Amino acid sequence: MSTEKVEIFDTTLRDGEQVPGCKLDTKQKLVIAERLDELGVDIIEAGFPISSPGDFQSVNEISKLVKNARVCGLTRAVKKDIEVAAAALKAAKRPRIHTGIGTSDSHIRYKFNATQDEIIERAIAAVSYAKTFVEDVEFYAEDAGRTDNEFLAKVCEAVVSAGATVLNIPDTTGYCLPEEYGAKMRYLKENVKGIHKATLSCHCHNDLGLATANSIEGVIHGARQIECTINGLGERAGNTALEEVVMVLRQHPYLNLDTNINTRLLYDTSQMVSHLMGMPVQPNKAIVGANAFAHSSGIHQDGVIKQRETYEIIDPAEVGVTESSIVLTARSGRAALAYRAKKVGYELTKVQLDTVYVEFLKFADRKKEIEDNDIHEIISKTDIGIKAVS
Ligand code: KIV
Ligand code: ZN
């Protein structure tokens, strides 16, 4: 069975930038867009052009800059939004307009005070109007996660007839369970007439910590695009993390699904976005966190020193991390101490190691983490004449 491609739609510059405190100026957005293009994302959602003159300018400049990826602008199902997005995307080699409307009962009733039929009419009108500007039109059914599947299929069928090329099925509130989200995709695949003319897309939020699992279930059940952000940034608890879905697919080749991402740029891209947005990456973040390849307990360290795969499923180099780290704490064993001591120049014999280890434990009980210069101090304290080999 040949591997099918899952397109990566990056929305760091739109959904990700909606995070309080993560606002970027146009220059910073251009730096990130260029990197995303290099990383190999298929679509860059560059912003929401009607939302502010700054966002219009960013989408406009990114459209001129990006060489490979499609550039996308978000709109509501509103004529003026669509006109402004089309103008912002004018210079893009491959422009996409992303338009849509809420489809769940609560959105229809409280946001729009409308009926289901009126929502379908507005959805068709938005897609048809966007098609007068660009060929590639993605439709989002906001709060699709809580939308009745039968009605959702009706909306999807209507917008595909109007020319939508991509159907975005957002779990806007991060409500769905993976099985439920996967079943939604399968239902649409089986019940929307003309579905072969459009690509189904996952857009999952992380309110229950399920965004990655839901996106993976989505592609297992027929979606071929995932919307995600670097470091999982996004509204509230965030969006699906790009680095996570990419590595899940890479680590499980029997799914026969893969992306075009150059994974060796993942760590550096994560750091770049974190610095530009002023949003630190949590140390235990999967794939790109500072502790993702760090080992601190004696049992794990001994295993990793003997054979990396005992406690690591990913080679750190594959995601751009130089090497696994052996962190020295009071929970570390002799193997880790010998390993780190060797790195700073000491070849300890078994007898020397026993003596140094006693001193090390006293030191480590007082200090959270032992650094390289502490190792020199610990060894000099043993007073048994151990010399570093230069
Ligand atoms: O979460 C969501 O529903 C969205 C849409 C605007 C695509 O971000
Ligand atoms: Zn979203």
Side-chain angles (χ1 to χ4, degrees), residues 302-319:
D302 183 52
V304 168
I305 291 167
K306 286 175 176 151
Q307 178 70 21
R308 191 189 56 74
E309 287 87 350
T310 52
Y311 287 96
E312 276 181 3
I313 58 163
I314 298 169
D315 179 348
E318 228 187 289
V319 297

Side-chain angles (χ1 to χ4, degrees), residues 161-174:
S161 306
T165 46
V166 181
L167 293 171
N168 179 9
I169 310 301
D171 184 19
T172 306
T173 58

